[in-house]
């Protein structure tokens, strides 16, 4: 979450008048994240999240995202639900941006997750993959292998090398290796594609829900799991915590068993997941507009993760126990 577009009290009040949520009491920007403009809105009926859709989010994708949240909630997954306005629409306009109002999810995200939290998250991811079955809309993963190549082509090597000398060549070599190894026969469906700790809320040790579905798409389930291994199982010194890895994988299999093909592909998928976030973080590092109330994440965090994955040979290197 972030703030790129400023809005006034009167703008928000007019927007809310189209919803049956009472009258505006207060609102404030939420500065975390890098994708959309978000505000915490308090009305006489309670708190809500107001999202204005920015740069990477295509307007044509918004019905998919909003419809998916409704579908998942209707199938037992705890997540924010878009509110429909008095015309029955979940998508509206504010400050010349597409905008939506969604329910507020109680809880907080963990700065230092323990293995028990990783187990819970793994199970929740497996349940998400099952709950997405039957959703009648599809969205290709724009940030899959082909998308990484296209994104890299937009980044001049000289600029990438200002982040770290030789980084451009490192990325080019890894993309070539991934192109030759990437699996295309894995079970697929709806994935979250961005299930970082700040997108999972807890109340004490109990998971209260998942948020931020604006990268959700159709892709391999095991790739989504690989993203979570990157996001949840590395320590601050970028060492891989194999206990957390084992917990995440066992939690996932509590909900959905991995196939032999998925297990065999996991090291490659984890490399790809690290590359995906290395590239998007390079983009944000080099292009975040001045004055935005958001700090871009350091791309080098994901180069360090990538180095670990390049040494992994099997799923057992991530703590998997049959």
């Amino acid at each position: 979450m972030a703030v790129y577009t400023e809005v006034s009290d009167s703008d928000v009040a007019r927007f809310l008048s189209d919803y049956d949520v009472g009258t505006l009491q207060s609102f404030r920007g939420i500065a975390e994240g890098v994708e959309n403009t978000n505000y915490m809105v308090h009305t006489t009926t309670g708190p809500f999240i107001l999202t204005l859709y920015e740069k990477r989010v295509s307007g044509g994708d918004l019905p998919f995202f909003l419809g998916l949240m409704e579908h998942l909630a209707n199938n037992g997954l705890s997540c924010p639900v878009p509110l429909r306005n008095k015309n029955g629409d979940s998508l509206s306009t504010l400050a010349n941006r597409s905008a939506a109002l969604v329910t507020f999810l109680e809880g907080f995200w963990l700065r230092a997750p323990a293995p028990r939290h990783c187990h819970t998250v793994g199970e929740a991811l497996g349940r998400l993959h099952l709950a997405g079955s039957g959703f009648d809309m599809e969205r290709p993963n724009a940030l899959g292998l082909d998308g990484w190549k296209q994104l890299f082509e937009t980044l001049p090597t000289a600029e990438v090398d200002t982040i770290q000398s030789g980084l451009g060549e490192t990325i080019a070599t890894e993309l070539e290796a991934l192109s030759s190894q990437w699996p295309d026969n894995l079970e697929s469906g709806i994935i979250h594609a961005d299930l970082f700790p700040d997108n999972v809320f807890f109340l004490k040790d109990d998971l209260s829900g998942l948020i931020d579905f604006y990268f959700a798409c159709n892709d391999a389930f095991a790739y989504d799991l690989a993203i979570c291994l990157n996001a949840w199982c590395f320590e601050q010194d970028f060492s891989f915590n194999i206990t957390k890895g084992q917990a995440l994988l066992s939690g996932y299999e509590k909900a959905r068993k991995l196939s032999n093909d998925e297990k065999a592909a996991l090291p490659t998928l984890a490399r790809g997941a690290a590359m995906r976030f290395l590239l998007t973080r390079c983009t944000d590092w080099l292009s975040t507009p001045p004055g935005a109330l958001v700090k871009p994440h350091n791309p080098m965090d994901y180069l360090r993760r990538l180095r670990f994955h390049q040494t992994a040979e099997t799923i057992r290197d991530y703590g998997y126990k049959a």
Side-chain angles (χ1 to χ4, degrees):
M1 298 179 178
V3 175
Y4 294 98
T5 301
E6 300 285 347
V7 295
S8 67
D9 290 18
S10 58
D11 290 334
V12 176
R14 280 194 297 270
F15 180 86
L16 294 176
S17 68
D18 288 334
Y19 295 81
D20 290 320
V21 294
T23 56
L24 177 65
Q25 300 295 292
S26 65
F27 74 98
R28 62 176 176 82
I30 302 173
E32 294 178 318
V34 295
E35 294 304 323
N36 301 309
T37 291
N38 289 272
Y39 291 95
M40 169 71 76
V41 174
H42 289 270
T43 77
T44 49
T45 64
F48 301 92
I49 299 294
L50 169 62
T51 299
L52 284 70
Y53 298 101
E54 305 281 359
K55 49 178 183 175
R56 286 202 195 108
V57 179
S58 167
D61 287 333
L62 293 176
F64 173 91
F65 299 138
L66 300 176
L68 176 61
M69 286 189 278
E70 286 186 326
H71 175 87
L72 293 174
N74 288 338
N75 283 274
L77 194 78
S78 179
C79 65
V81 181
L83 275 67
R84 294 186 178 271
N85 61 26
K86 294 173 183 177
N87 293 323
D89 300 321
S90 57
L91 189 63
S92 188
T93 302
L94 176 61
N96 296 316
R97 301 285 193 275
S98 294
L101 191 69
V102 302
T103 55
F104 175 74
L105 194 66
E106 294 285 351
F108 61 94
W109 69 272
L110 302 171
R111 269 65 175 178
R116 65 184 181 276
H117 303 121
C118 295
H119 185 277
T120 300
V121 168
E123 183 179 357
L125 184 69
R127 290 192 290 105
L128 185 159
H129 291 163
L130 297 176
S133 176
F135 184 53
D136 61 3
M137 300 178 71
E138 293 188 1
R139 177 177 179 264
N141 186 1
L143 288 172
L145 181 60
D146 289 340
W148 308 335
K149 296 174 184 177
Q150 294 170 14
L151 189 57
F152 184 52
E153 289 172 358
T154 69
L155 297 173
T157 299
E159 289 191 25
V160 174
D161 285 351
T162 64
I163 302 172
Q164 177 176 288
S165 178
L167 180 58
E169 183 178 354
T170 297
I171 292 173
T173 300
E174 180 65 10
L175 283 174
E176 183 177 353
L178 288 170
S179 295
S180 67
Q181 301 172 25
W182 198 251
D184 59 5
N185 61 341
L186 303 180
E187 187 173 351
S188 300
I190 296 294
I191 70 169
H192 185 283
D194 195 39
L195 201 60
F196 278 65
D198 58 353
N199 288 331
V200 181
F201 282 4
F202 284 82
L203 288 170
K204 295 186 178 179
D205 280 342
D206 296 325
L207 191 149
S208 61
L210 312 181
I211 68 168
D212 200 349
F213 288 83
Y214 299 114
F215 286 105
C217 57
N218 293 79
D219 207 332
F221 294 137
Y223 172 64
D224 213 13
L225 183 58
I227 290 173
C228 284
L229 284 169
N230 276 280
W232 288 83
C233 301
F234 283 85
E235 299 302 323
Q236 291 187 347
D237 63 358
F238 305 105
S239 62
F240 183 78
N241 187 319
I242 200 165
T243 304
K244 290 182 179 180
Q246 191 277 330
L248 183 73
L249 293 168
S250 64
Y252 185 83
E253 286 210 305
K254 186 176 179 180
R256 177 185 173 272
K257 294 295 184 182
L258 292 167
S259 70
N260 288 335
D261 286 343
E262 289 174 319
K263 295 173 190 175
L266 195 67
T268 298
L269 296 171
R271 285 171 63 179
M275 175 57 63
R276 175 260 190 260
F277 289 100
L278 172 58
L279 282 167
T280 52
R281 288 185 175 198
C282 283
T283 301
D284 292 332
W285 192 266
L286 296 170
S287 64
T288 296
L293 300 180
V294 59
K295 180 180 179 180
H297 297 293
N298 189 342
M300 301 311 295
D301 295 353
Y302 270 83
L303 180 62
R304 296 181 178 99
R305 287 167 168 82
L306 176 60
R307 295 304 191 200
F308 170 79
H309 300 310
Q310 289 172 331
T311 70
E313 296 181 356
T314 74
I315 192 173
R316 294 186 182 279
D317 292 312
Y318 297 94
Y320 183 80
K321 295 180 180 180

